[in-house]
Amino acid sequence: MSYDGDEVGHVTMCRISHDVYLKGDRTYWDSVDKDDPSLQGSSPPANRWIKVPDSAFGQKDLSDLSAKSYIEAMGDTTDAKWGHLGDGTLTPATLDGKPVYKIASADGDTRAWVTTDDTHDLLKVVDEAAGTDDLGTATFSRWNEKIAVPRPVGALDGAEMAPDPSPSGEATT
């Protein structure tokens, strides 16, 4: 999954079983530092694959790292972020040379593109709602297709790069 946002830069995430790998540009890693003061000064190198330490994600977090939560929220008319999508417009369009349906929210802040075939696979979501940084542009490829994803070659081990999370600074076991 890749994500681009004005405030958080570009990051690509690859999840293989329980292992999560990230590759972010300098803007992304700087935003991580800013959001978590305990990480300041420990930013991994930009544009390198980093294997995220196991302690960084719980099982719930890993289940949230899928497009499923986006799809479920998009169908929830009571959801503050996605509720306007149900009141929006559906128009034929083209995306990367392919015929698609473009769904635009009533307020125009959110747009989604889905295939025109019977599967209606999600291809892209753009959220430009003022004051939110939940989602910028998300592009999905090979939706629901079973694919083999190799582990990134030469990935740095984030567990060896992260500062000690203990509040006292003493090593923990």
Side-chain angles (χ1 to χ4, degrees), residues 1-167:
M1 180 164 85
S2 291
Y3 173 82
D4 284 296
D6 292 339
E7 294 181 20
V8 297
H10 178 84
V11 62
T12 299
M13 182 201 78
C14 177
R15 177 180 169 204
I16 301 170
S17 185
H18 295 292
D19 293 334
V20 176
Y21 296 86
L22 294 175
K23 180 167 60 171
D25 63 10
R26 179 52 39 212
T27 303
Y28 172 76
W29 289 116
D30 288 348
S31 73
V32 169
D33 274 353
K34 185 174 76 174
D35 287 344
D36 187 346
S38 72
L39 298 175
Q40 288 183 358
S42 66
S43 280
N47 302 312
R48 288 280 314 264
W49 282 108
I50 308 296
K51 181 180 179 282
V52 178
D54 293 339
S55 61
F57 293 103
Q59 280 306 105
K60 181 185 182 319
D61 295 324
L62 288 174
S63 66
D64 289 346
L65 292 176
S66 74
K68 182 178 179 184
S69 58
Y70 292 134
I71 304 306
E72 289 173 347
M74 288 170 70
D76 181 0
T77 56
T78 63
D79 186 279
K81 180 179 194 60
W82 299 101
H84 295 292
L85 214 52
D87 298 329
T89 59
L90 177 99
T91 56
T94 312
L95 181 67
D96 297 329
K98 298 175 188 174
V100 296
Y101 292 122
K102 177 182 174 184
I103 305 165
S105 63
D107 60 11
D109 288 342
T110 307
R111 295 171 308 285
W113 289 261
V114 298
T115 61
T116 58
D117 62 15
D118 290 340
T119 62
H120 302 299
D121 292 340
L122 181 64
L123 299 176
K124 184 175 182 178
V125 177
V126 175
D127 179 21
E128 298 175 328
T132 66
D133 63 358
D134 292 342
L135 184 66
T137 299
T139 304
F140 304 96
S141 62
R142 296 185 244 166
W143 184 263
N144 281 335
E145 185 178 321
K146 301 271 187 217
I147 58 172
V149 179
R151 295 183 188 280
V153 176
L156 302 174
D157 188 341
E160 295 174 4
M161 301 170 66
D164 182 1
S166 66

